[in-house]
Amino acid sequence: MNHRIQGIDRPTAPDPRGSGAPERTESKPTASPGVPRTTTPGPARPTPAQWGRTLAAGTVTGTVHLPRPQRTCPHAEAPLAPAGLPRRGTAPRTQPFPVQHLTDAWGGLLLLVDDDSPLHARLSALRTEDHRPGVPVVLDVLDVPPGQAVLPRARLSVTGWAEAILPADQRRVAQTAAAVRPLGALLDVGTTRSVWRLEVADVRVTTAEGVHLVPEEEFTTATPDPLYEDEDGLVTHLEAAHRDALVGWVLDTLPPHEAQRTREVAVVGADRYGLDVLVTVGAGTTVLRASFTTPVRGAGDVAGALCGLFGCPCREDGRRTHESA
């Protein structure tokens, strides 16, 4: 067998990609039309709000979309296409910029921007042009699974307004962000970097079950997944210390005729509720859910969770079971 492991209600922000007219959405999470609904409860998984809060924490870099500068003559972007055919070559209506996003101590979203970056220049220009304190933005954050062995599991899209923070308050806001996630770059706030506040109007989280509209209060109060930042390290620890136990669990879980045809086993996800295990059976693949007995609250709970799952002793010290991997 080849084994491999690897808020407050506010009006919806104007869409910077459109005419600026507000788009109203439902206030409760909904799935996209056509998404089949499960009638029987399955293994526990992160909720859309938990996925959104996990991606908002800033472990992976996000992309912020801002309105693109308008040309003098919009009709000069591309010639008109023949009747019935779409126009080609028209410029996108928004500009994408990579951004380090994070949260403050109350769950609010922040953007950490280099003062000499194109993003800072564009934010400042839009703020001056519109004569308004807030710049319409869309923050997009895509989940990155361990080893990128499978498609992204979730996507966060936040529509709102980027608002400049007064120079006198920059350091104070940076300190609240550092209390949540101590980034070295926060030490430069007030000198070469600045913090912008993202006032949220609309939160959407896309998972395999569809697109969910998450109320701001639910999004703000949800907690990030405690294993996400060190997920790659945990997967490495499973490869090094729990290989035999993991394979044994897979073989015990699959029906006998599928267990005999199993060729590869790979952990492709880990969260507070359990593991996602990709299994190659013959010419096909399937994902098994290995659920923990109780959700883990931090790295210190991982040892007991794995022992309960696999029924094996863990030789790590129980405080950070994957640090030595």
Side-chain angles (χ1 to χ4, degrees), residues 81-114:
L85 295 179
R87 294 174 61 183
R88 295 183 179 180
T90 55
R93 296 185 180 181
T94 61
Q95 281 181 293
F97 299 88
V99 66
Q100 174 63 66
H101 61 284
L102 33 89
T103 61
D104 60 21
W106 301 274
L109 276 169
L110 303 171
L111 305 177
L112 181 60
V113 182
D114 291 347

Side-chain angles (χ1 to χ4, degrees), residues 48-57 103 107-109 156 219-224:
Q50 288 173 335
W51 261 122
R53 179 52 53 185
T54 297
L55 295 177
T103 61
L109 276 169
L156 169 67
F219 171 72
T220 302
T221 57
T223 56

Side-chain angles (χ1 to χ4, degrees), residues 212-286:
H212 309 266
L213 306 185
V214 182
E216 185 180 354
E217 183 177 0
E218 184 179 341
F219 171 72
T220 302
T221 57
T223 56
D225 192 278
L227 303 183
Y228 190 77
E229 188 163 0
D230 293 329
E231 189 177 16
D232 288 339
L234 175 56
V235 170
T236 302
H237 171 73
L238 289 169
E239 162 71 15
H242 298 273
R243 176 193 302 253
D244 293 340
L246 178 63
V247 173
W249 179 86
V250 169
L251 297 180
D252 289 340
T253 302
L254 290 173
H257 67 281
E258 293 185 3
Q260 294 176 357
R261 299 165 52 227
T262 298
R263 298 191 295 113
E264 290 187 3
V265 175
V267 175
V268 293
D271 54 66
R272 73 186 84 193
Y273 298 111
L275 310 174
D276 287 324
V277 185
L278 181 67
V279 182
T280 301
V281 180
T285 60
T286 186

